Coordinates of all heavy atoms in Angstrom, one line a residue:
F57 N -50.4 44.4 -42.4 CA -51.2 45.1 -41.3 C -52.6 45.4 -41.7 O -53.5 45.5 -40.9 CB -50.5 46.4 -40.9 CG -49.0 46.2 -40.4 CD1 -48.2 47.3 -40.3 CD2 -48.5 44.9 -40.1 CE1 -46.9 47.2 -39.9 CE2 -47.2 44.8 -39.6 CZ -46.4 45.9 -39.5
D94 N -43.7 51.5 -39.5 CA -43.6 50.1 -39.4 C -44.4 49.4 -40.5 O -45.4 50.0 -41.0 CB -44.3 49.7 -38.0 CG -44.0 48.3 -37.6 OD1 -43.4 47.5 -38.4 OD2 -44.4 47.9 -36.5
C95 N -43.8 48.4 -41.1 CA -44.4 47.8 -42.3 C -44.3 46.2 -42.2 O -43.2 45.7 -41.8 CB -43.6 48.3 -43.5 SG -44.3 47.6 -45.1
G96 N -45.3 45.6 -42.6 CA -45.3 44.1 -42.7 C -45.8 43.6 -44.1 O -46.6 44.3 -44.7
D105 N -41.4 41.6 -41.2 CA -41.8 42.8 -40.4 C -40.6 43.6 -40.0 O -39.6 43.1 -39.5 CB -42.5 42.2 -39.1 CG -43.2 43.2 -38.2 OD1 -43.3 44.3 -38.6 OD2 -43.6 42.8 -37.1
S106 N -40.7 44.9 -40.3 CA -39.5 45.8 -40.0 C -40.0 47.2 -39.8 O -40.9 47.7 -40.5 CB -38.5 45.7 -41.1 OG -37.4 46.5 -40.9
A107 N -39.3 47.9 -38.9 CA -39.7 49.3 -38.6 C -38.4 50.2 -38.6 O -37.3 49.7 -38.3 CB -40.4 49.4 -37.3
H168 N -41.7 39.6 -31.2 CA -42.5 38.4 -31.4 C -41.9 37.5 -32.4 O -41.1 37.9 -33.2 CB -43.9 38.8 -31.9 CG -43.9 39.8 -33.1 ND1 -43.9 39.3 -34.4 CD2 -43.7 41.1 -33.1 CE1 -43.8 40.4 -35.2 NE2 -43.6 41.5 -34.5
E201 N -37.7 44.5 -31.7 CA -38.2 45.8 -32.0 C -38.3 46.7 -30.8 O -39.4 47.0 -30.3 CB -39.6 45.7 -32.7 CG -40.7 44.9 -32.1 CD -42.0 45.0 -32.8 OE1 -42.4 46.1 -33.2 OE2 -42.6 43.9 -33.0
H230 N -38.6 53.8 -32.8 CA -38.9 52.3 -33.0 C -38.1 51.8 -34.2 O -38.3 52.4 -35.3 CB -40.4 52.2 -33.2 CG -40.9 50.8 -33.5 ND1 -42.0 50.5 -34.3 CD2 -40.5 49.6 -33.0 CE1 -42.2 49.2 -34.3 NE2 -41.3 48.7 -33.5
E232 N -37.0 48.0 -36.0 CA -37.3 46.6 -35.9 C -36.7 45.8 -37.1 O -36.7 46.2 -38.2 CB -38.8 46.4 -36.0 CG -39.3 44.9 -36.1 CD -40.8 44.8 -36.2 OE1 -41.4 45.7 -36.8 OE2 -41.4 43.8 -35.7
Ligands
MG301 MG1 -43.4 45.8 -37.2

Side-chain angles (χ1 to χ4, degrees):
F57 301 166
D94 196 352
C95 182
D105 188 9
S106 180
H168 50 91
E201 50 177 316
H230 181 211
E232 175 181 31

